[in-house]
Amino acid sequence: FIYELFNGVTLTSKLEADGIFDEKVGSNIIHQLLSVIKYLHSKNYTHKNLNLDNIMINEENLIKIVDINSSQVLHKYKTNKCDIIGTPLFFSPELISSNKKYKKEHIYERADIWACGVISFILLTGELPFFDENGDVLVNSIIEGNYNKTVDEYMSLSEIAKDFISNLLDPNYNTRVSADVAVNHDFLVKRYTT
């Protein structure tokens, strides 16, 4: 492993200190995140534990992804080990579903994208997209992709930001966007470059 000194704080700490990000800054951070995920996936790796505490950010809003101990090489022609690890509120429907229909070679790649959707929602609204005191209701909300669209901060997002989030939080892992597609979404390209 290569270690690098990075002076920064977790995204959780940054949000607690400064509040939510506007769309321009948020899209910059999300673009960086998805660029890293796109690179990992292109090398047949998946992170498997993306969450706010595993992303560091510095004063210039540059990020580093940490805690890669749970990452896994994806094997194209053999079954991948399908351990469910990570932070439950960032789990994708296919990770928490007992349905065995999912092809294991695609689970974690698309689960990384789902986690990026949860992170994006939180960065732009300050709220969890899925939350309920009742665990069964929470699980069903995740499986069905019924995220909280009624929170004021979500309702005030641009339509392009909402479309971006909906692409990442697509409950069907077969139609959920890849990192390659997500990183080129208009929300990131137009906001990040203007």
PDB file of all heavy atoms in Angstrom, residues 8-34:
ATOM      1  N   GLY A   8      -6.839  17.179   6.151  1.00  0.00           N
ATOM      2  CA  GLY A   8      -8.248  17.440   5.900  1.00  0.00           C
ATOM      3  C   GLY A   8      -9.098  16.816   6.986  1.00  0.00           C
ATOM      4  O   GLY A   8      -8.598  16.315   7.992  1.00  0.00           O
ATOM      5  N   VAL A   9     -10.396  16.849   6.749  1.00  0.00           N
ATOM      6  CA  VAL A   9     -11.366  16.286   7.689  1.00  0.00           C
ATOM      7  C   VAL A   9     -12.306  15.385   6.893  1.00  0.00           C
ATOM      8  O   VAL A   9     -12.335  15.428   5.667  1.00  0.00           O
ATOM      9  CB  VAL A   9     -12.173  17.391   8.403  1.00  0.00           C
ATOM     10  CG1 VAL A   9     -11.262  18.263   9.259  1.00  0.00           C
ATOM     11  CG2 VAL A   9     -12.959  18.251   7.422  1.00  0.00           C
ATOM     12  N   THR A  10     -13.088  14.597   7.583  1.00  0.00           N
ATOM     13  CA  THR A  10     -14.078  13.774   6.896  1.00  0.00           C
ATOM     14  C   THR A  10     -15.195  14.669   6.357  1.00  0.00           C
ATOM     15  O   THR A  10     -15.403  15.792   6.843  1.00  0.00           O
ATOM     16  CB  THR A  10     -14.699  12.724   7.834  1.00  0.00           C
ATOM     17  OG1 THR A  10     -15.452  13.397   8.847  1.00  0.00           O
ATOM     18  CG2 THR A  10     -13.641  11.824   8.457  1.00  0.00           C
ATOM     19  N   LEU A  11     -15.903  14.158   5.367  1.00  0.00           N
ATOM     20  CA  LEU A  11     -17.059  14.919   4.861  1.00  0.00           C
ATOM     21  C   LEU A  11     -18.098  15.122   5.959  1.00  0.00           C
ATOM     22  O   LEU A  11     -18.760  16.156   5.995  1.00  0.00           O
ATOM     23  CB  LEU A  11     -17.686  14.209   3.663  1.00  0.00           C
ATOM     24  CG  LEU A  11     -17.037  14.474   2.310  1.00  0.00           C
ATOM     25  CD1 LEU A  11     -17.748  13.685   1.211  1.00  0.00           C
ATOM     26  CD2 LEU A  11     -17.033  15.943   1.962  1.00  0.00           C
ATOM     27  N   THR A  12     -18.218  14.170   6.872  1.00  0.00           N
ATOM     28  CA  THR A  12     -19.142  14.334   7.995  1.00  0.00           C
ATOM     29  C   THR A  12     -18.765  15.568   8.800  1.00  0.00           C
ATOM     30  O   THR A  12     -19.614  16.414   9.094  1.00  0.00           O
ATOM     31  CB  THR A  12     -19.127  13.086   8.911  1.00  0.00           C
ATOM     32  OG1 THR A  12     -19.514  11.951   8.161  1.00  0.00           O
ATOM     33  CG2 THR A  12     -20.057  13.253  10.099  1.00  0.00           C
ATOM     34  N   SER A  13     -17.483  15.682   9.145  1.00  0.00           N
ATOM     35  CA  SER A  13     -17.021  16.831   9.929  1.00  0.00           C
ATOM     36  C   SER A  13     -17.207  18.140   9.172  1.00  0.00           C
ATOM     37  O   SER A  13     -17.592  19.160   9.747  1.00  0.00           O
ATOM     38  CB  SER A  13     -15.548  16.659  10.309  1.00  0.00           C
ATOM     39  OG  SER A  13     -15.383  15.540  11.143  1.00  0.00           O
ATOM     40  N   LYS A  14     -16.945  18.129   7.877  1.00  0.00           N
ATOM     41  CA  LYS A  14     -17.097  19.330   7.049  1.00  0.00           C
ATOM     42  C   LYS A  14     -18.560  19.773   7.020  1.00  0.00           C
ATOM     43  O   LYS A  14     -18.859  20.969   7.160  1.00  0.00           O
ATOM     44  CB  LYS A  14     -16.588  19.042   5.635  1.00  0.00           C
ATOM     45  CG  LYS A  14     -16.682  20.200   4.691  1.00  0.00           C
ATOM     46  CD  LYS A  14     -15.568  21.185   4.875  1.00  0.00           C
ATOM     47  CE  LYS A  14     -15.535  22.172   3.706  1.00  0.00           C
ATOM     48  NZ  LYS A  14     -14.631  23.271   3.954  1.00  0.00           N
ATOM     49  N   LEU A  15     -19.474  18.820   6.844  1.00  0.00           N
ATOM     50  CA  LEU A  15     -20.900  19.156   6.833  1.00  0.00           C
ATOM     51  C   LEU A  15     -21.357  19.689   8.187  1.00  0.00           C
ATOM     52  O   LEU A  15     -22.139  20.635   8.258  1.00  0.00           O
ATOM     53  CB  LEU A  15     -21.732  17.938   6.448  1.00  0.00           C
ATOM     54  CG  LEU A  15     -21.764  17.586   4.969  1.00  0.00           C
ATOM     55  CD1 LEU A  15     -22.358  16.196   4.766  1.00  0.00           C
ATOM     56  CD2 LEU A  15     -22.551  18.611   4.178  1.00  0.00           C
ATOM     57  N   GLU A  16     -20.866  19.071   9.256  1.00  0.00           N
ATOM     58  CA  GLU A  16     -21.238  19.534  10.595  1.00  0.00           C
ATOM     59  C   GLU A  16     -20.734  20.953  10.850  1.00  0.00           C
ATOM     60  O   GLU A  16     -21.408  21.758  11.478  1.00  0.00           O
ATOM     61  CB  GLU A  16     -20.710  18.577  11.659  1.00  0.00           C
ATOM     62  CG  GLU A  16     -21.451  17.256  11.686  1.00  0.00           C
ATOM     63  CD  GLU A  16     -20.793  16.214  12.595  1.00  0.00           C
ATOM     64  OE1 GLU A  16     -19.679  16.452  13.099  1.00  0.00           O
ATOM     65  OE2 GLU A  16     -21.414  15.154  12.776  1.00  0.00           O
ATOM     66  N   ALA A  17     -19.543  21.269  10.350  1.00  0.00           N
ATOM     67  CA  ALA A  17     -18.945  22.591  10.575  1.00  0.00           C
ATOM     68  C   ALA A  17     -19.522  23.667   9.657  1.00  0.00           C
ATOM     69  O   ALA A  17     -19.782  24.789  10.093  1.00  0.00           O
ATOM     70  CB  ALA A  17     -17.428  22.516  10.393  1.00  0.00           C
ATOM     71  N   ASP A  18     -19.722  23.323   8.381  1.00  0.00           N
ATOM     72  CA  ASP A  18     -20.070  24.340   7.377  1.00  0.00           C
ATOM     73  C   ASP A  18     -21.465  24.217   6.791  1.00  0.00           C
ATOM     74  O   ASP A  18     -21.898  25.102   6.058  1.00  0.00           O
ATOM     75  CB  ASP A  18     -19.061  24.293   6.216  1.00  0.00           C
ATOM     76  CG  ASP A  18     -17.646  24.594   6.664  1.00  0.00           C
ATOM     77  OD1 ASP A  18     -17.460  25.154   7.765  1.00  0.00           O
ATOM     78  OD2 ASP A  18     -16.713  24.273   5.911  1.00  0.00           O
ATOM     79  N   GLY A  19     -22.154  23.130   7.036  1.00  0.00           N
ATOM     80  CA  GLY A  19     -23.469  22.940   6.442  1.00  0.00           C
ATOM     81  C   GLY A  19     -23.375  22.364   5.042  1.00  0.00           C
ATOM     82  O   GLY A  19     -22.299  21.969   4.588  1.00  0.00           O
ATOM     83  N   ILE A  20     -24.513  22.345   4.361  1.00  0.00           N
ATOM     84  CA  ILE A  20     -24.577  21.717   3.039  1.00  0.00           C
ATOM     85  C   ILE A  20     -23.787  22.519   2.009  1.00  0.00           C
ATOM     86  O   ILE A  20     -23.495  23.688   2.202  1.00  0.00           O
ATOM     87  CB  ILE A  20     -26.033  21.529   2.560  1.00  0.00           C
ATOM     88  CG1 ILE A  20     -26.748  22.874   2.417  1.00  0.00           C
ATOM     89  CG2 ILE A  20     -26.775  20.600   3.483  1.00  0.00           C
ATOM     90  CD1 ILE A  20     -28.137  22.773   1.819  1.00  0.00           C
ATOM     91  N   PHE A  21     -23.455  21.849   0.910  1.00  0.00           N
ATOM     92  CA  PHE A  21     -22.735  22.474  -0.188  1.00  0.00           C
ATOM     93  C   PHE A  21     -23.736  23.006  -1.207  1.00  0.00           C
ATOM     94  O   PHE A  21     -24.759  22.363  -1.464  1.00  0.00           O
ATOM     95  CB  PHE A  21     -21.821  21.451  -0.877  1.00  0.00           C
ATOM     96  CG  PHE A  21     -20.723  20.948   0.009  1.00  0.00           C
ATOM     97  CD1 PHE A  21     -20.869  19.753   0.691  1.00  0.00           C
ATOM     98  CD2 PHE A  21     -19.548  21.662   0.159  1.00  0.00           C
ATOM     99  CE1 PHE A  21     -19.856  19.276   1.509  1.00  0.00           C
ATOM    100  CE2 PHE A  21     -18.529  21.194   0.963  1.00  0.00           C
ATOM    101  CZ  PHE A  21     -18.678  20.001   1.649  1.00  0.00           C
ATOM    102  N   ASP A  22     -23.422  24.150  -1.810  1.00  0.00           N
ATOM    103  CA  ASP A  22     -24.264  24.585  -2.924  1.00  0.00           C
ATOM    104  C   ASP A  22     -23.988  23.661  -4.108  1.00  0.00           C
ATOM    105  O   ASP A  22     -23.057  22.856  -4.077  1.00  0.00           O
ATOM    106  CB  ASP A  22     -24.042  26.059  -3.269  1.00  0.00           C
ATOM    107  CG  ASP A  22     -22.640  26.379  -3.775  1.00  0.00           C
ATOM    108  OD1 ASP A  22     -22.004  25.533  -4.439  1.00  0.00           O
ATOM    109  OD2 ASP A  22     -22.175  27.509  -3.521  1.00  0.00           O
ATOM    110  N   GLU A  23     -24.784  23.767  -5.143  1.00  0.00           N
ATOM    111  CA  GLU A  23     -24.672  22.827  -6.257  1.00  0.00           C
ATOM    112  C   GLU A  23     -23.328  22.917  -6.977  1.00  0.00           C
ATOM    113  O   GLU A  23     -22.814  21.903  -7.433  1.00  0.00           O
ATOM    114  CB  GLU A  23     -25.836  23.022  -7.240  1.00  0.00           C
ATOM    115  CG  GLU A  23     -27.144  22.515  -6.685  1.00  0.00           C
ATOM    116  CD  GLU A  23     -28.266  22.501  -7.703  1.00  0.00           C
ATOM    117  OE1 GLU A  23     -27.998  22.405  -8.920  1.00  0.00           O
ATOM    118  OE2 GLU A  23     -29.438  22.564  -7.278  1.00  0.00           O
ATOM    119  N   LYS A  24     -22.754  24.099  -7.072  1.00  0.00           N
ATOM    120  CA  LYS A  24     -21.479  24.238  -7.779  1.00  0.00           C
ATOM    121  C   LYS A  24     -20.362  23.522  -7.014  1.00  0.00           C
ATOM    122  O   LYS A  24     -19.633  22.710  -7.578  1.00  0.00           O
ATOM    123  CB  LYS A  24     -21.123  25.705  -7.996  1.00  0.00           C
ATOM    124  CG  LYS A  24     -19.833  25.876  -8.779  1.00  0.00           C
ATOM    125  CD  LYS A  24     -19.607  27.304  -9.180  1.00  0.00           C
ATOM    126  CE  LYS A  24     -18.294  27.498  -9.866  1.00  0.00           C
ATOM    127  NZ  LYS A  24     -18.211  27.053 -11.226  1.00  0.00           N
ATOM    128  N   VAL A  25     -20.239  23.796  -5.728  1.00  0.00           N
ATOM    129  CA  VAL A  25     -19.193  23.152  -4.924  1.00  0.00           C
ATOM    130  C   VAL A  25     -19.508  21.663  -4.765  1.00  0.00           C
ATOM    131  O   VAL A  25     -18.626  20.814  -4.893  1.00  0.00           O
ATOM    132  CB  VAL A  25     -19.054  23.836  -3.543  1.00  0.00           C
ATOM    133  CG1 VAL A  25     -18.063  23.096  -2.657  1.00  0.00           C
ATOM    134  CG2 VAL A  25     -18.629  25.298  -3.721  1.00  0.00           C
ATOM    135  N   GLY A  26     -20.775  21.349  -4.509  1.00  0.00           N
ATOM    136  CA  GLY A  26     -21.177  19.949  -4.356  1.00  0.00           C
ATOM    137  C   GLY A  26     -20.881  19.133  -5.598  1.00  0.00           C
ATOM    138  O   GLY A  26     -20.370  18.016  -5.515  1.00  0.00           O
ATOM    139  N   SER A  27     -21.175  19.696  -6.769  1.00  0.00           N
ATOM    140  CA  SER A  27     -20.919  18.948  -8.006  1.00  0.00           C
ATOM    141  C   SER A  27     -19.432  18.733  -8.227  1.00  0.00           C
ATOM    142  O   SER A  27     -19.018  17.707  -8.758  1.00  0.00           O
ATOM    143  CB  SER A  27     -21.552  19.650  -9.215  1.00  0.00           C
ATOM    144  OG  SER A  27     -20.930  20.891  -9.472  1.00  0.00           O
ATOM    145  N   ASN A  28     -18.614  19.678  -7.797  1.00  0.00           N
ATOM    146  CA  ASN A  28     -17.155  19.522  -7.895  1.00  0.00           C
ATOM    147  C   ASN A  28     -16.700  18.333  -7.044  1.00  0.00           C
ATOM    148  O   ASN A  28     -15.932  17.484  -7.504  1.00  0.00           O
ATOM    149  CB  ASN A  28     -16.472  20.814  -7.453  1.00  0.00           C
ATOM    150  CG  ASN A  28     -14.967  20.738  -7.495  1.00  0.00           C
ATOM    151  OD1 ASN A  28     -14.368  19.700  -7.283  1.00  0.00           O
ATOM    152  ND2 ASN A  28     -14.337  21.876  -7.743  1.00  0.00           N
ATOM    153  N   ILE A  29     -17.181  18.271  -5.826  1.00  0.00           N
ATOM    154  CA  ILE A  29     -16.808  17.182  -4.910  1.00  0.00           C
ATOM    155  C   ILE A  29     -17.315  15.842  -5.443  1.00  0.00           C
ATOM    156  O   ILE A  29     -16.590  14.845  -5.464  1.00  0.00           O
ATOM    157  CB  ILE A  29     -17.350  17.469  -3.496  1.00  0.00           C
ATOM    158  CG1 ILE A  29     -16.624  18.694  -2.911  1.00  0.00           C
ATOM    159  CG2 ILE A  29     -17.205  16.252  -2.582  1.00  0.00           C
ATOM    160  CD1 ILE A  29     -17.300  19.291  -1.707  1.00  0.00           C
ATOM    161  N   ILE A  30     -18.558  15.817  -5.898  1.00  0.00           N
ATOM    162  CA  ILE A  30     -19.152  14.585  -6.427  1.00  0.00           C
ATOM    163  C   ILE A  30     -18.419  14.143  -7.688  1.00  0.00           C
ATOM    164  O   ILE A  30     -18.186  12.946  -7.898  1.00  0.00           O
ATOM    165  CB  ILE A  30     -20.663  14.783  -6.669  1.00  0.00           C
ATOM    166  CG1 ILE A  30     -21.384  15.066  -5.344  1.00  0.00           C
ATOM    167  CG2 ILE A  30     -21.260  13.571  -7.364  1.00  0.00           C
ATOM    168  CD1 ILE A  30     -22.765  15.697  -5.501  1.00  0.00           C
ATOM    169  N   HIS A  31     -18.038  15.098  -8.521  1.00  0.00           N
ATOM    170  CA  HIS A  31     -17.275  14.775  -9.734  1.00  0.00           C
ATOM    171  C   HIS A  31     -15.955  14.105  -9.370  1.00  0.00           C
ATOM    172  O   HIS A  31     -15.563  13.103  -9.985  1.00  0.00           O
ATOM    173  CB  HIS A  31     -17.036  16.040 -10.556  1.00  0.00           C
ATOM    174  CG  HIS A  31     -16.404  15.780 -11.878  1.00  0.00           C
ATOM    175  ND1 HIS A  31     -15.039  15.791 -12.062  1.00  0.00           N
ATOM    176  CD2 HIS A  31     -16.946  15.476 -13.083  1.00  0.00           C
ATOM    177  CE1 HIS A  31     -14.767  15.515 -13.328  1.00  0.00           C
ATOM    178  NE2 HIS A  31     -15.898  15.320 -13.971  1.00  0.00           N
ATOM    179  N   GLN A  32     -15.260  14.632  -8.369  1.00  0.00           N
ATOM    180  CA  GLN A  32     -14.005  14.014  -7.921  1.00  0.00           C
ATOM    181  C   GLN A  32     -14.259  12.587  -7.439  1.00  0.00           C
ATOM    182  O   GLN A  32     -13.521  11.663  -7.789  1.00  0.00           O
ATOM    183  CB  GLN A  32     -13.382  14.820  -6.787  1.00  0.00           C
ATOM    184  CG  GLN A  32     -12.866  16.184  -7.163  1.00  0.00           C
ATOM    185  CD  GLN A  32     -12.370  16.903  -5.936  1.00  0.00           C
ATOM    186  OE1 GLN A  32     -11.358  16.502  -5.345  1.00  0.00           O
ATOM    187  NE2 GLN A  32     -13.080  17.952  -5.528  1.00  0.00           N
ATOM    188  N   LEU A  33     -15.307  12.417  -6.636  1.00  0.00           N
ATOM    189  CA  LEU A  33     -15.640  11.102  -6.082  1.00  0.00           C
ATOM    190  C   LEU A  33     -15.918  10.097  -7.196  1.00  0.00           C
ATOM    191  O   LEU A  33     -15.348   9.002  -7.218  1.00  0.00           O
ATOM    192  CB  LEU A  33     -16.855  11.225  -5.152  1.00  0.00           C
ATOM    193  CG  LEU A  33     -17.464   9.925  -4.630  1.00  0.00           C
ATOM    194  CD1 LEU A  33     -16.459   9.139  -3.805  1.00  0.00           C
ATOM    195  CD2 LEU A  33     -18.724  10.231  -3.832  1.00  0.00           C
ATOM    196  N   LEU A  34     -16.766  10.483  -8.129  1.00  0.00           N
ATOM    197  CA  LEU A  34     -17.110   9.559  -9.208  1.00  0.00           C
ATOM    198  C   LEU A  34     -15.941   9.305 -10.150  1.00  0.00           C
ATOM    199  O   LEU A  34     -15.837   8.219 -10.727  1.00  0.00           O
ATOM    200  CB  LEU A  34     -18.326  10.072  -9.977  1.00  0.00           C
ATOM    201  CG  LEU A  34     -19.650   9.790  -9.270  1.00  0.00           C
ATOM    202  CD1 LEU A  34     -20.767  10.623  -9.857  1.00  0.00           C
ATOM    203  CD2 LEU A  34     -19.992   8.310  -9.309  1.00  0.00           C
TER     204      LEU A  34
END
